[in-house]
Amino acid sequence: IRLYRGVEMMMDRPLTGAAAANRMLTLGGSRYILIEFTRLVGGAVVANAIVQVRRFDLWPVVAHPERYSSCSVPVVTRWKELGGLMQIDATTLVRPSNRGSRARALVQAGLADILAADNHGDTRSLETAKSWLDAQGASAEADVLTGQNPARILADELTESVPPVRIKTSILTKLRTLFDEE
């Protein structure tokens, strides 16, 4: 296992020039910087932060966008158009929750760039999402999300676009959705 330095930068205030120039704050010394926001952040705030980070010639990687209440396919599409990359939390992807639904919607729309396990010394793992994607018939996409794009980031190269993933929905899930809409 090889470890690389990087931080998850809370964007509760504008990024300064000094912070942007400090490669100890970026992912592995690359031009990619992992940014996060409070859970109730508005879509326009994230968009403004992405534009600001890009002005410093850095590539913003939005950590766990599915956690943000403003997260939707149209909003995240805009964030990506502005130059943001999306890092989906691997274990949230498989959870039957609102966050899980948002994470799956991003993967299904081809808006995810990388998967990460937001592990805090527990059992969360990339393997959970990789196995789930394999079961969806998306092994190639899983390889890009969990291996190729993270390697490109650490090599300071452009990431590869990940095509939309067709997610299989069980009959039980379809029934739940039907009753939830009433």
Side-chain angles (χ1 to χ4, degrees), residues 43-120:
V45 172
V46 177
N48 289 336
I50 289 169
V51 168
Q52 180 204 22
V53 171
R54 286 295 301 132
R55 284 187 186 135
F56 286 112
D57 198 32
L58 294 173
W59 288 100
V61 178
V62 178
H64 40 69
E66 70 279 359
R67 286 189 189 175
Y68 310 131
S69 57
S70 60
C71 175
S72 68
V73 168
V75 169
V76 173
T77 297
R78 179 69 182 137
W79 296 347
K80 289 196 52 90
E81 289 168 351
L82 294 171
L85 298 167
M86 301 302 128
Q87 175 193 284
I88 308 301
D89 183 85
T91 53
T92 301
L93 183 64
V94 300
R95 289 197 178 131
S97 63
N98 286 337
R99 285 185 198 170
S101 293
R102 289 191 293 261
R104 287 185 294 280
L106 298 180
V107 170
Q108 195 164 14
L111 296 172
D113 296 290
I114 59 174
L115 291 177
D118 197 2
N119 187 295
H120 294 262

Side-chain angles (χ1 to χ4, degrees), residues 107-154:
V107 170
Q108 195 164 14
L111 296 172
D113 296 290
I114 59 174
L115 291 177
D118 197 2
N119 187 295
H120 294 262
D122 52 29
T123 59
R124 288 179 268 188
S125 164
L126 284 176
E127 186 55 39
T128 303
K130 187 155 179 9
S131 295
W132 183 82
L133 285 166
D134 287 344
Q136 302 300 314
S139 297
E141 292 86 345
D143 288 339
V144 175
L145 290 164
T146 61
Q148 294 173 30
N149 275 348
R152 287 174 181 262
I153 286 171
L154 292 174

Side-chain angles (χ1 to χ4, degrees), residues 155-170:
D156 210 13
E157 299 171 351
L158 293 177
T159 57
E160 182 179 328
S161 292
V162 181
V165 172
R166 185 165 184 261
I167 296 176
K168 300 171 189 171
T169 308
S170 70

